[in-house]
Amino acid sequence: MKALVLGGGSMKGAFQVGAIQSVLENGFEPDMVYGISVGALNTTFLANETGRQHEEENGKLNWPLAGRKLLEFWVKNITQPQDISTLRSRVMLGMNTLMSRFDGLVDPAPLHLLIRKNVKDKFLKNSPTMIKVGAVNVQSGEIKYVTPQEPHFLDYVRASSSIPMLMPAIAIGKQMYLDGGLREVAPIRQAIADGATEIVVIACHSPHLYQPEGMNPRNLIMLVERVRDITVNEYANSNIIWAESYVDRSILRGVPMKMTVIRPVSPLVLDMQHFTSEDISRLIIEGYRIGIETLNKVSEVKQ
């Protein structure tokens, strides 16, 4: 079973989009796609396209086309911070905080609207590819993975992409859910548990953190983003190191496994408060380049 695992990374997920395109153009056809945070969004859009193809193209799947559709979505729709979220009124923010109704520093309504406009339940449910996205139950602290057959699947997608503190928790039934990256940034463990033996992981974080220039720790949004960068980077490294060790020992268990990890060599830099369409395109191109380089190295080792 082949699995495509898409880690978290907020708007750095543009890097992931370029890397996805390189992988799919190289002939990788996943049986399963797993996503956390922005990876959950990319997973959902891929599943929507493969579900559309399955319904409208007599069951034929064109994975490179699915990757291009995802890329086109980003280039067309993600051009500035306001495409994803808007700052809340300071007055309302203060009042809601005092009255224990804190609902995030920013309003993710623009992102939620993009999801509603570009994703159809019937395509998700008809996708021939198994997909799972993960979100964390705020009350229990447990991560939950769901498929499109779950009645509230898109709510879990919204929750998985809801950055703690910056964005509100999402109510699903009587429970509240947030970003799956609180527990796992790269959901490799779940893919392995579901039987994956050939895995491509696309992470948005390099092994090392960058040192931001001109960071103001008294800017609340900057501080939240920096704290998130530090913790997410550590979680991503931990998830990948564990998986590499597990795969290395797979031959001893009699079920040989393969895993390819595509991630930036140097930390990606993106100003969440001021990015432009050029910044998004730059990251997509970088992801495609790193993806091609990584796949070429893997091919050379096989030879």
Side-chain angles (χ1 to χ4, degrees):
M1 295 280 283
K2 296 181 179 180
L4 180 62
V5 174
L6 306 177
S10 190
M11 290 303 95
K12 295 173 185 176
F15 170 92
Q16 190 174 84
V17 170
I20 289 170
Q21 186 61 31
S22 71
V23 169
L24 299 181
E25 285 183 354
N26 196 57
F28 188 76
E29 297 185 348
D31 303 296
M32 319 138 85
V33 184
Y34 294 76
I36 288 285
S37 192
V38 71
L41 292 172
N42 287 335
T43 292
T44 300
F45 285 113
L46 284 174
N48 184 76
E49 173 58 20
T50 55
R52 183 200 66 78
Q53 290 181 15
H54 185 70
E55 180 173 312
E56 298 178 0
E57 307 296 334
N58 297 319
K60 295 180 181 179
L61 292 188
N62 184 331
W63 277 104
L65 175 60
R68 288 195 296 275
K69 291 289 188 180
L70 175 62
L71 192 155
E72 289 169 4
F73 169 81
W74 273 75
V75 170
K76 178 181 178 181
N77 295 286
I78 314 296
T79 63
Q80 58 182 338
Q82 291 76 18
D83 293 333
I84 300 302
S85 62
T86 55
L87 280 172
R88 295 191 188 278
S89 156
R90 291 184 180 182
V91 174
M92 290 303 299
L93 180 61
M95 289 180 57
N96 286 339
T97 301
L98 288 173
M99 298 178 69
S100 298
R101 297 191 311 218
F102 178 72
D103 211 20
L105 297 175
V106 301
D107 181 357
L111 173 61
H112 296 173
L113 179 60
L114 280 178
I115 295 172
R116 287 197 300 272
K117 288 175 59 177
N118 292 276
V119 173
K120 295 185 178 180
D121 283 335
K122 67 172 184 176
F123 290 158
L124 292 176
K125 291 179 179 179
N126 289 336
S127 176
T129 306
M130 175 194 292
I131 72 166
K132 285 187 177 180
V133 302
V136 169
N137 184 313
V138 178
Q139 286 96 324
S140 71
E142 297 177 343
I143 190 167
K144 180 175 182 178
Y145 285 97
V146 297
T147 71
Q149 279 60 49
E150 164 70 42
H152 302 287
F153 176 76
L154 287 180
D155 287 331
Y156 285 103
V157 173
R158 285 186 279 269
S160 187
S161 57
S162 194
I163 302 172
M165 298 302 293
L166 285 182
M167 297 178 178
I170 302 298
I172 304 176
K174 296 182 179 180
Q175 304 296 309
M176 303 293 286
Y177 287 83
L178 271 172
D179 188 352
L182 286 169
R183 293 299 300 266
E184 288 188 313
V185 174
I188 315 169
R189 194 185 303 267
Q190 185 63 43
I192 291 174
D194 287 343
T197 55
E198 184 175 350
I199 304 169
V200 173
V201 181
I202 303 179
C204 301
H205 293 81
S206 76
H208 309 288
L209 275 170
Y210 75 100
Q211 297 185 18
E213 296 182 3
M215 178 190 168
N216 179 7
R218 295 185 182 279
N219 179 311
L220 185 54
I221 292 180
M222 277 189 180
L223 182 60
V224 170
E225 290 175 359
R226 184 56 179 169
V227 169
R228 176 177 165 78
D229 270 343
I230 293 170
T231 56
V232 166
N233 185 267
E234 181 62 25
Y235 285 173
N237 287 342
S238 177
N239 294 157
I240 291 171
I241 290 170
W242 174 87
E244 287 174 336
S245 176
Y246 188 92
V247 170
D248 286 344
R249 299 193 307 271
S250 65
I251 192 169
L252 300 177
R253 297 190 297 272
V255 184
M257 301 175 65
K258 295 187 295 183
M259 185 173 75
T260 300
V261 178
I262 299 174
R263 66 191 309 195
V265 177
S266 301
L268 300 175
V269 179
L270 183 72
D271 186 341
M272 281 280 291
Q273 298 180 67
H274 302 102
F275 68 82
T276 66
S277 57
E278 288 75 16
D279 294 319
I280 295 298
S281 296
R282 168 177 56 82
L283 290 183
I284 290 175
I285 292 169
E286 179 69 0
Y288 186 83
R289 183 183 69 81
I290 294 294
I292 292 295
E293 289 181 358
T294 303
L295 295 172
N296 285 342
K297 290 178 183 178
V298 170
S299 180
E300 290 172 2
V301 169
K302 289 180 179 179
Q303 295 175 0

